[in-house]
Structure formats: structure tokens, C-alpha cells
Amino acid sequence: MLYVEILGNLPEMARDEVKAMLELAGGEIAGQDYLFLKVNADERVFPFLDRLGLTHEYGELIIEAESVEELLEKAKEVEWPIEGAFKVDTETMANCRHNVLDLPRKLGAVIHAQGFRVNLSRPDTLVRVYCGERLYAGIQLRFFDPKDFEGRKAHHRPFFRPISLHPRVSRALVNLTGARKELLDPMMGAGGILIEAGLLGLKVYGVDIRPEMVEGAEMNLRHYGIKNYELKLGDATKLEELFDKKFEAVATDPPYGTSATLAGRKREELYRKVLESIYGVLEPGGRLAIAFPASFDGKKEAEKVGFKLVGRYYQRVHKSLERYFYVFEK
């Protein structure tokens, strides 16, 4: 049994991102306690969990208990898979209903009694205890360092446009499509979604109607060492004219606003035509992850085209921008 701790800013989207990766690897979510997911899977899922964007960490789940006393008793019977020196860390979630103030010391003493060394400053193994409705103890296997994602935010790229999704969200959109080998972004802008897809080893295809964006996106992809890409100057409403192939996955963040970014077209009409165009180049069973402002009924318009809704996630960006992220299947 494994555990995944998801981030709290888009929790439903984070959970479904984990679910999408487990579907590729043959695992399943076995339970949820606030931001803590119990995952029924083996080590074959690790390469897929390593793709996650909206996740804090994952690890091996060792103990689940109803009380501090039960956790400590179980800890005496467990063979702890600890390498080198260890440290116990507690994560007190918003729904924690146990007194865990002294738990790191008590659990550390139990594990130490089995012959393992303690090192509080530079541990080789981190034992993680989560407090929610229940108590959980496990071994951290992977921590997703926020600095990795922060370093790819828009203002750190050689070609910079301020309006861009956070790299964590871009990564999640890619994963929610379930892409295994390739991904198309038909309104790529500066290429933020393509960067995340390319770093996962996918072949990336991008389209934009503005020449400076095609040049800038290529500059950004090269900056991050991504070589397997194909970028085209073209219209997202005419994708079948641009490509003579179908795609397994599409992810995009269309422009929300001015006539300049919309190439002089009315926003709602553009969105409808883009949905039709994407449907035409998507494989049967393929998925689209897309963002729309809350004022546009993405579900209704996509279903008119023939899409089936898989997921929808609300985000308030600021007082003048509320949006939904959608996942559709053809």
C-alpha cells in the first residue's frame, strides 16, 4: 500500500490527476482522508506518480490506526524498511482529531529500539505521520520540491508572457489527459503546457496564430532541453488542415480576453469552433483538458460537439477571473 499527499489549492483536480496516473499503471485510490490518499498499487506505479504536478509527496504506507496508542503498538510489530539514519515528521492536517504533539518522539523511540539510528538534521529516511480522521505512518519515497516548478514559472523563461498557468497546473492538465506518448496544444502561447509535457518525455505538438508566439515557444522548449517537438503557425479552429494525423491527447489554455489575443474574433464563437476543431483531430477515446472562464458553459458547448465530460474543477484566480478546468473524452 502506498500513500499520496495532494496539494490543497485544487484538491479535486489533484485527486483526479493521481487517479489518471494510476489508471495508466494499474493501481487505484483505496481511500481518502482530507489531502491524504491511500493507494493500492506496487512499485510499477512509481514512474507515473513521478509525473504528478498537484502533489506534495508520496511514499509507502506502513501503519493505519484509530489512536496514538494503536499506532505505537503496531509500530513495535512492524519491520521498518529504513535505510541509514531516520527522523519522524508529523503532518497535522486541518481535520486532525488526535493529540500528536509528542508523537514524533514516542514513535522515534519505538523505531530506535529496533536498532535504527536517529538523525534529526540529515536523515537518510523520513518517517512521515499524518493526522486526520485516522492516523497513518509511512516512509517518504518522493518529495516534489516546489522550487522545481517555481523555476519554470513564466518570468524565468527566455520568452516571457505574464499570462501563463502555473507549471504545476500545466503539468496536471497534461496528466489528466492520460497522455502516454504525445500531446497537442492548439493554442500554445509561450508553450507552458508543452514544456511540462516535454519534460515528461512526450512528443509535443503546438499551434499558435501569432508568429512571435511560435518563435517564443520554440525558444522556451529549447531552453528546457526539449527536442521532440513540432510547432506550427496556424489557426486552432482549422487543425485538420494543419495535421494529417489524430492525437491521443490535447491540453490547452485558450486566451480569455482582448480582441488582440483572440485575433479579433468573438470569444464564445472562437471557443465553440476550437472545440469542434479539436474533436476532429482527437482519437476515439482520446482526452482533452482545457480551461474556460466561468462565464462560458464549457460542458454544454463541448457536449454539443460530441464530447463526454470526465471532470470539471473550479478556480478563482482573482476578482475579475474565475475559471473552470475541464476534462473531456471523445
Side-chain angles (χ1 to χ4, degrees):
M1 191 71 85
L2 305 174
Y3 74 85
V4 178
E5 182 196 354
I6 57 175
L7 299 178
N9 52 341
L10 285 161
E12 288 93 5
M13 189 168 166
R15 180 202 63 219
D16 284 358
E17 183 194 13
V18 174
K19 188 180 167 203
M21 290 298 92
L22 292 174
E23 283 171 2
L24 295 183
E28 62 179 1
I29 295 172
Q32 181 169 359
D33 190 342
Y34 194 53
L35 300 177
F36 184 91
L37 305 179
K38 289 192 298 174
V39 170
N40 197 356
D42 57 29
E43 65 273 4
R44 284 174 297 180
V45 306
F46 293 162
F48 296 94
L49 294 182
D50 285 339
R51 288 174 52 161
L52 292 167
L54 297 176
T55 288
H56 185 266
E57 68 175 77
Y58 73 80
E60 183 180 351
L61 180 57
I62 309 291
I63 296 171
E64 186 175 346
E66 294 284 359
S67 67
V68 170
E69 294 71 31
E70 185 190 353
L71 187 143
L72 292 172
E73 281 304 310
K74 285 184 172 179
K76 292 173 187 172
E77 310 300 321
V78 165
E79 283 190 28
W80 289 89
I82 290 172
E83 294 180 11
F86 78 95
K87 173 189 175 182
V88 178
D89 250 358
T90 307
E91 191 75 37
T92 306
M93 297 187 290
N95 66 335
C96 174
R97 60 182 191 85
H98 305 271
N99 181 2
V100 293
L101 199 60
D102 208 24
L103 187 52
R105 185 185 64 79
K106 288 177 179 174
L107 180 56
V110 169
I111 298 171
H112 178 62
Q114 293 184 16
F116 296 106
R117 288 183 299 114
V118 178
N119 187 328
L120 299 180
S121 56
R122 296 187 70 182
D124 303 296
T125 300
L126 200 56
V127 177
R128 294 280 277 152
V129 177
Y130 285 84
C131 177
E133 291 293 317
R134 307 185 79 187
L135 290 163
Y136 311 87
I139 304 288
Q140 184 190 82
L141 297 176
R142 169 76 193 268
F143 168 66
F144 294 88
D145 192 338
K147 291 186 200 139
D148 291 344
F149 291 99
E150 293 295 320
R152 294 195 298 277
K153 284 174 83 170
H155 61 280
H156 293 301
R157 300 171 194 157
F159 180 74
F160 164 53
R161 286 294 182 275
I163 301 166
S164 185
L165 292 176
H166 192 286
R168 280 190 182 272
V169 176
S170 293
R171 174 72 62 95
L173 289 181
V174 172
N175 287 331
L176 284 163
T177 67
R180 289 175 179 269
K181 60 183 189 291
E182 64 182 15
L183 181 119
L184 165 68
D185 183 348
M187 306 178 91
M188 67 181 170
I193 290 173
L194 297 183
I195 291 167
E196 296 306 311
L199 290 171
L200 296 176
L202 303 173
K203 176 164 188 184
V204 295
Y205 297 81
V207 176
D208 207 281
I209 204 163
R210 294 159 292 174
E212 71 274 16
M213 289 298 176
V214 178
E215 289 172 19
E218 182 167 24
M219 198 186 302
N220 286 340
L221 288 169
R222 284 181 172 173
H223 177 75
Y224 291 103
I226 295 156
K227 299 184 175 74
N228 199 7
Y229 63 83
E230 193 176 310
L231 307 183
K232 296 193 179 211
L233 178 66
D235 189 336
T237 67
K238 297 173 181 173
L239 294 172
E240 286 178 286
E241 295 176 15
L242 293 172
F243 298 101
D244 58 358
K245 72 185 291 305
K246 303 283 186 188
F247 295 89
E248 63 165 356
V250 179
T252 194
D253 179 35
Y256 303 144
T258 65
S259 60
T261 59
L262 300 174
R265 292 175 287 194
K266 287 203 168 98
R267 189 173 72 175
E268 281 71 16
E269 189 55 34
L270 173 66
Y271 292 166
R272 289 186 194 102
K273 286 186 173 173
V274 165
L275 283 168
E276 288 170 9
S277 181
I278 291 170
Y279 192 85
V281 297
L282 202 56
E283 292 175 358
R287 286 189 175 179
L288 160 67
I290 191 166
F292 288 124
S295 57
F296 180 77
D297 191 340
K299 177 179 182 290
K300 184 176 83 174
E301 298 299 337
E303 285 176 347
K304 277 185 198 170
V305 173
F307 281 111
K308 182 179 76 178
L309 181 71
V310 175
R312 181 172 70 165
Y313 318 99
Y314 170 79
Q315 184 186 42
R316 184 180 186 275
V317 183
H318 45 71
K319 65 181 180 182
S320 59
L321 177 57
E322 297 172 88
R323 66 183 166 205
Y324 282 97
F325 296 104
Y326 295 89
V327 182
F328 298 112
E329 190 169 289
K330 180 170 174 177

